Amino acid sequence: MKIEKVVLRKLKMDLKFPFQTSFGTSEGREFLITEVYGENHIGYGECVVDTKPFYSEETVQTAWHMMRDFLIPFLFQKEEILHPNEVRDIFRKVRRHNMAKSALEGAIWDLYAKEQGKPLAEVIGGEKKQISVGVSIGIQKTKEDLVEIVGKYLEQGFQKIKIKIKPGKDIEMLQAIRDQFGDIPLMADANSAYTLDDIHLFKQMDPLHLMMFEQPLAHDDIIDHAKLQEAIKTPICLDESIHSVEDARKAIELGSCKIINIKIGRVGGIAEAIKIHDLCKENQIPVWCGGMLESGIGRAHNLAITSLDNFTIPGDTAPSARYWEEDIIQPEIEMNEKGEIELSAKPGLGYEINQGALERYTVSTETFLKSKLQTEK
Ligand code: OSB
Ligand code: MG
């Protein structure tokens, strides 16, 4: 691939509903789309940042800065990229900024797959033709509201219900769902809202037989999680704590979790996501694909990695209509009544860009040309 041009776009899209987690409420998303121009195709990527550094330290502005001033110049310094696996090395000098790196890397994977004329899932060795889907439900005001929403999603066919929890909005909420719907596949995501002082609470929740507690303790911890896992039966799943295959290796060695949530943006790209998937598979640690309220572009990347065989737990990869009045891809991503999404058989991400929608949601753009590169970084 000879990359001569990259376009960055900032988009603003309203969510159909406010999404509340233990760290805040989102009414919509501001994020970045990357377009990487090869000789015959354009690859698309999504940078899953937010305006606020509350889930991770990156923001819309830090990602733009990293891409403009470091990552894009590094790409342009290469005469040619033969395989997307090279991108990790090209970006290696930049510490962290995984969401920024991933946005460009993902576009290069799409471009590569389009040049090969194959679906991205096939290019990365994914064999599933359809994937199982769950839904992530934000914190609700009352148990009654929550039970009603869960009922609606179960009716639509979702194969896993994940609810967000925080202190004071946990055991009662989960118990209400169990009372109403029995033994459904149910899990809880705390986004780091608890500490080891809350061990008694987790022990109290053990009899609810949840599929897992996602990231109960600090966002950067793997030691206390091992202590908590030792004390409870419900599996712990790590999200925020895992940024690389090395992090995953250490967490597995310590016994900090029994399941890992893989988010492409959080780990710096598809190549690293695959490494984590493979390591987990060797260690009998099931994985599932997390979500960052993506637009269709990021969502299509998520579907592609979920085609790998150790993604055995339904992910947070709900269809477009759960989030958006109108998505930026065509056709939109749809789920059948069994809670499955059919993978596209078309090359690359497998969806067309809805150019009108993309333009309407774009609030700013910047174009970078290799021919204009003058930086020495
Ligand atoms: O912790 O998994 C998370 C959304 C934003 C930030 C963090 C998380 C989430 C979700 C939403 O749970 C999953 C989705 O995209 O539907
Ligand atoms: Mg999470």
Side-chain angles (χ1 to χ4, degrees):
M1 288 165 283
K2 289 195 165 140
I3 298 164
E4 301 294 331
K5 176 172 145 181
V6 175
V7 175
L8 290 189
R9 289 173 182 270
K10 180 164 114 177
L11 272 71
K12 206 166 180 250
M13 288 172 78
D14 292 331
L15 283 165
K16 278 186 172 173
F17 53 88
F19 189 76
Q20 192 188 341
T21 65
S22 62
F23 59 81
T25 304
S26 304
E27 310 266 339
R29 274 197 70 216
E30 265 177 59
F31 62 101
L32 307 178
I33 291 293
T34 54
E35 302 177 357
V36 172
Y37 287 69
E39 279 157 308
N40 300 305
H41 299 279
I42 308 172
Y44 290 89
E46 177 163 340
C47 186
V48 296
V49 280
D50 191 4
T51 51
K52 304 185 188 93
F54 296 171
Y55 168 80
S56 92
E57 68 280 17
E58 294 183 80
T59 67
V60 170
Q61 289 218 45
T62 68
W64 193 287
H65 162 49
M66 282 301 133
M67 288 198 258
R68 181 189 58 209
D69 295 326
F70 297 98
L71 303 175
I72 295 171
F74 279 147
L75 280 182
F76 285 163
Q77 278 171 15
K78 280 286 253 194
E79 179 74 28
E80 193 171 359
I81 294 172
L82 298 178
H83 192 279
N85 281 335
E86 294 168 24
V87 177
R88 281 166 78 241
D89 277 337
I90 295 172
F91 292 162
R92 196 175 292 281
K93 271 179 146 175
V94 176
R95 300 262 162 94
R96 295 182 177 265
H97 294 284
N98 283 349
M99 292 176 180
K101 290 174 178 171
S102 161
L104 291 165
E105 195 246 20
I108 293 169
W109 276 102
D110 179 32
L111 176 61
Y112 178 76
K114 283 172 176 160
E115 287 191 352
Q116 307 279 308
K118 291 181 185 158
L120 178 57
E122 186 184 326
V123 167
I124 65 171
E127 290 183 348
K128 283 186 231 167
K129 296 291 173 234
Q130 68 227 355
I131 62 157
S132 299
V133 183
V135 64
S136 172
I137 301 173
I139 295 170
Q140 304 297 318
K141 280 214 183 71
T142 66
K143 289 187 284 196
E144 292 73 24
D145 292 347
L146 178 61
V147 164
E148 188 186 327
I149 292 175
V150 169
K152 192 183 86 184
Y153 286 123
L154 286 173
E155 240 164 64
Q156 290 176 24
F158 285 100
Q159 297 192 33
K160 183 188 81 180
I161 298 290
K162 155 170 154 181
I163 69 160
K164 295 289 191 179
I165 57 168
K166 65 177 185 181
K169 291 265 193 180
D170 41 39
I171 190 158
E172 265 187 66
M173 297 300 225
L174 291 159
Q175 189 65 55
I177 298 173
R178 278 281 180 251
D179 290 347
Q180 183 73 28
F181 303 107
D183 195 24
I184 57 163
L186 178 64
M187 61 168 288
D189 185 1
N191 291 106
S192 301
Y194 299 86
T195 70
L196 274 187
D197 292 341
D198 300 310
I199 273 196
H200 63 285
L201 248 175
F202 289 96
K203 284 188 173 161
Q204 258 177 39
M205 290 192 277
D206 249 346
L208 287 165
H209 297 291
L210 301 180
M211 298 168 82
M212 69 196 89
F213 292 117
E214 180 179 349
Q215 197 71 35
L217 308 179
H219 69 94
D220 54 357
D221 169 77
I222 54 173
I223 306 276
D224 287 356
H225 280 99
K227 290 186 187 154
L228 177 60
Q229 184 66 89
E230 185 71 33
I232 61 172
K233 291 200 195 75
T234 307
I236 289 174
C237 169
L238 291 176
D239 174 352
E240 283 90 330
S241 294
I242 306 295
H243 295 97
S244 62
V245 68
E246 273 300 285
D247 286 351
R249 176 182 66 75
K250 291 167 191 167
I252 294 169
E253 251 177 63
L254 282 176
S256 320
C257 64
K258 293 180 179 164
I259 299 171
I260 289 180
N261 160 336
I262 296 181
K263 288 181 184 169
I264 300 170
R266 196 193 66 225
V267 305
I270 288 178
E272 194 77 14
I274 296 171
K275 282 182 190 292
I276 296 172
H277 165 274
D278 293 350
L279 176 80
C280 287
K281 188 175 170 183
E282 280 166 32
N283 288 278
Q284 287 93 45
I285 301 280
V287 303
W288 54 279
C289 183
M292 292 293 290
L293 310 169
E294 284 90 347
S295 80
I297 291 177
R299 200 163 292 283
H301 283 93
N302 289 346
L303 299 182
I305 61 158
T306 305
S307 69
L308 299 172
D309 63 0
N310 194 38
F311 280 87
T312 52
I313 299 170
D316 287 348
T317 51
S320 304
R322 144 130 179 86
Y323 308 88
W324 316 114
E325 294 298 342
E326 178 191 40
D327 205 341
I328 56 174
I329 54 165
Q330 279 170 331
E332 297 201 347
I333 294 170
E334 288 180 6
M335 181 181 82
N336 67 23
E337 66 289 346
K338 288 187 285 184
E340 296 162 345
I341 292 175
E342 211 65 46
L343 291 179
S344 169
K346 301 207 182 102
L349 293 177
Y351 296 85
E352 298 297 321
I353 301 301
N354 178 340
Q355 210 62 44
L358 181 65
E359 294 296 342
R360 269 194 302 288
Y361 296 127
T362 296
V363 290
S364 56
T365 68
E366 190 169 346
T367 299
F368 302 85
L369 295 172
K370 187 173 194 168
S371 58
K372 297 236 174 98
L373 173 76
Q374 298 169 333
T375 64
E376 245 329 298
K377 287 267 154 60

